[in-house]
Amino acid sequence: MNKVIIGRPEDLDRTVIAAVARGACHLELAPGLVGALTRSRRSTLAALEGRVVYGVNTGMGAMSGLRLDAEAQRRHQDNLMIGRAVGSAPWLRRDQARALLAARLRTFLDPAAGVSPELCRRLADLLNADVVPAIPARGSGAAGEIIPLAHAGAALLGVGQVLDAGPIGAGGAVDASSAFAEAGLAPRSFGPKEGIAFLEGVPGLTGLAVLGSAAARVLIDQVVVGAAASHTVIRASLDPLQPALADSDELRVVLESLRDLRGKAEPGALQAPVSFRVTAPALAVAMRAVAGVEAAVDRALNAVTDSPAHLDGEFVGTFGFAGTDLTASLGALTTALVHLAELGAARLHRLLDPRVTGLAPQLSHSPGLHAGMAAVHKRAAGVTHRLRRFAVPALTGAIETSLGQEDVQSFGFEAAECLDEVLTGLRDVLACELLAVVQAQRLGAPSSSTLDDIDAALPPGTADRPFGRDLDRIVSLLSAGTARGAADDQFGTEQGRPAG
């Protein structure tokens, strides 16, 4: 496994975070960075002397006016985790929780956090040993990520839970203490200010955005391939793909890819259905939305997320826990992907129309006796309808908590969950379209080689069969990265696409 040596905070960028999330590399903190962390920690501890600092020698939230005595302060940083670990399953997936830890580590490398190099090393140790805290995926209704981060912190203390190392979904969560012992690790308490630092910021949302944007790039490129294959089946006019229509780099890439993949068959009609003609700009919008999420991630990784942050010798309350930028950008991407699903369902419906394709109605093996792709389209319609509810912006809907101390939330985890649901649904709709394209090609429609892997994975023939099994196979292939064209390489390289 590759080792990545982190010599400065910027080295742990979204590309590395994505690789860490997949378990594709080990992290090591360079001696120079450890030295810098040691100095910032020493400076932070010195600045704490004789000061009233929120969350260090005071209560939290509405209890911030209560001063803690010396004995209470010694227990306080650990207690911050234990009493706030109120979540339950469903847990974040293993890659999602690892992305959270990696993003948390990145923000701790900023001197403003003032945490010890030992805490940073412990996070790297957990990732390298693949001991992954069980972190709730839902119910984080706070100004920030206090509840999910408390679960991660409780795991470090040895009193929380970690994900079972077995197959996904096999065992759920197990006690952290036993997992630590098996990995040769020991639980670790939080030192002065380290507990409040651990609970602040939006590392979970940041990590989830890294994974979501990477998955969206792959899926958008697969939609390009699927849309081009549908264009080929109906012999759509090339007019809407003319280079002169490009008003942005993203649209230029999409138009080029669709033209390259479209095939050479002469147009079958003067104009293609609208769903075919407007696919290119919709794909360009989605590409811009992905870039917007990636830019928001970069800003989050470089921002001061601690509150209070140690800045120029003072402790300053900040807004680094808000997650507004990331939540808004995830909402924009989610909406763009829902629209792609709507267009995919519409294109699929046109593929069933003999007036558009010149093939048998419903792409049926024997019209009347065999249903063909009619029920496949119904599945796509049902999935698309379900996705629309996830396009509701998560940024709205503030609810007061903590006796009014927290009167606004960004609901970032909810925004990430909406994106994840839409990625899954769009992949499902695309699988339905690709199955119809393969069926059409087997019935004599113009074809290209872009879907050869998918065609080969399906049973032979065009007669009715339990097509749900075919769709499961296609979804698995898409999840593994099959059916990708040139758009991802061109656009992803220009935008610094993260590994994933």
Side-chain angles (χ1 to χ4, degrees):
M1 183 176 294
N2 292 335
K3 178 187 292 185
V4 177
I5 298 176
I6 307 299
R8 53 179 188 156
E10 294 79 9
D11 293 341
L12 189 50
D13 60 13
R14 57 185 163 85
T15 304
V16 176
I17 290 173
V20 170
R22 299 194 315 271
C25 66
H26 277 199
L27 295 178
E28 181 178 316
L29 303 183
L33 179 58
V34 172
L37 290 169
T38 300
R39 292 188 293 274
S40 66
R41 179 61 174 168
R42 188 181 302 124
S43 174
T44 297
L45 292 176
L48 287 174
E49 292 294 330
R51 299 192 186 190
V52 178
V53 181
Y54 175 80
V56 177
N57 47 29
T58 76
M60 288 273 287
M63 301 293 105
S64 61
L66 297 179
R67 290 290 302 275
L68 304 178
D69 60 27
E71 177 59 27
Q73 288 180 44
R74 280 191 288 273
R75 303 194 307 270
H76 186 46
Q77 299 303 299
D78 289 353
N79 285 346
L80 289 174
M81 310 299 161
I82 297 170
R84 289 163 178 79
V86 300
S88 304
W91 310 112
L92 292 180
R93 298 191 313 264
R94 197 171 202 86
D95 61 331
Q96 292 173 326
R98 287 178 61 87
L100 179 152
L101 290 181
R104 176 80 293 173
L105 174 57
R106 164 62 189 272
T107 60
F108 276 177
L109 301 182
D110 190 309
V115 303
S116 67
E118 290 77 20
L119 178 54
C120 295
R121 279 174 166 157
R122 175 47 50 90
L123 292 177
D125 290 342
L126 289 178
L127 289 166
N128 292 340
D130 198 29
V131 176
V132 183
I135 300 171
R138 298 173 185 165
S140 58
E145 300 177 357
I146 288 177
I147 293 173
L149 292 176
H151 279 263
L156 266 70
L157 293 170
V159 299
Q161 294 178 298
V162 299
L163 296 178
D164 192 338
I168 294 176
V174 297
D175 287 341
S177 56
S178 58
F180 271 51
E182 291 179 11
L185 300 172
R188 184 191 186 281
S189 289
F190 292 91
K193 194 187 173 297
E194 288 187 328
I196 179 65
F198 198 89
L199 293 180
E200 294 297 339
V202 285
L205 178 56
T206 304
L208 293 173
V210 168
L211 296 180
S213 59
R217 279 209 177 275
V218 173
L219 184 52
I220 290 169
D221 188 57
Q222 292 170 327
V223 172
V224 171
V225 172
S230 291
H231 273 66
T232 301
V233 165
I234 72 166
R235 295 175 293 138
S237 170
L238 294 171
D239 288 354
L241 307 182
Q242 295 303 311
L245 299 177
D247 59 4
S248 64
D249 289 341
E250 297 90 347
L251 186 52
R252 173 186 56 78
V253 169
V254 172
L255 293 176
E256 287 179 357
S257 297
L258 289 175
R259 284 197 309 273
D260 290 344
L261 297 169
R262 153 65 169 76
K264 304 303 182 183
E266 289 296 319
L270 186 60
Q271 282 194 328
V274 170
S275 55
F276 286 77
R277 288 149 55 193
V278 303
T279 291
L283 284 162
V285 168
M287 283 183 166
R288 280 193 290 273
V290 174
V293 173
E294 292 169 346
V297 167
D298 291 341
R299 288 190 291 270
L301 292 175
N302 288 293
V304 173
T305 62
D306 204 39
S307 183
H310 187 212
L311 300 172
D312 299 324
E314 301 292 332
F315 291 97
V316 180
T318 78
F319 46 77
F321 52 81
T324 309
D325 187 14
L326 283 165
T327 302
S329 65
L330 286 174
L333 176 56
T334 299
T335 300
L337 296 182
V338 170
H339 186 49
L340 289 184
E342 293 174 331
L343 290 174
R347 290 193 305 270
L348 171 56
H349 203 197
R350 301 285 76 77
L351 292 178
L352 274 59
D353 190 340
R355 297 169 299 177
V356 176
T357 64
L359 301 172
Q362 302 178 169
L363 299 178
S364 173
H365 175 82
S366 179
L369 176 63
H370 288 245
M373 297 289 102
V376 171
H377 174 254
K378 293 180 186 297
R379 171 170 167 170
V383 171
T384 300
H385 179 268
R386 177 177 181 272
L387 296 186
R388 288 168 179 157
R389 73 191 67 173
F390 299 111
V392 176
L395 197 59
T396 59
I399 303 172
E400 284 198 354
T401 63
S402 193
L403 303 180
Q405 176 70 16
E406 295 184 7
D407 50 9
V408 174
Q409 300 88 5
S410 61
F411 293 113
F413 268 42
E414 286 73 12
E417 183 182 16
C418 287
L419 175 60
D420 204 47
E421 291 282 354
V422 170
L423 287 167
T424 299
L426 175 56
R427 193 175 293 114
D428 198 324
V429 172
L430 176 59
C432 292
E433 182 178 10
L434 293 176
L435 176 58
V437 168
V438 170
Q439 182 86 344
Q441 291 176 350
R442 292 178 177 181
L443 290 171
S447 63
S448 62
S449 61
T450 54
L451 301 185
D452 285 351
D453 289 345
I454 290 177
D455 192 347
L458 301 179
T462 57
D464 280 0
R465 55 183 181 267
F467 285 117
R469 299 176 188 176
D470 292 23
L471 293 171
D472 287 344
R473 292 188 183 98
I474 297 174
V475 167
S476 294
L477 290 170
L478 292 173
S479 298
T482 297
R484 294 171 65 178
D488 183 68
D489 292 335
Q490 294 181 56
F491 189 71
T493 300
E494 292 169 7
Q495 297 295 328
R497 176 176 58 84

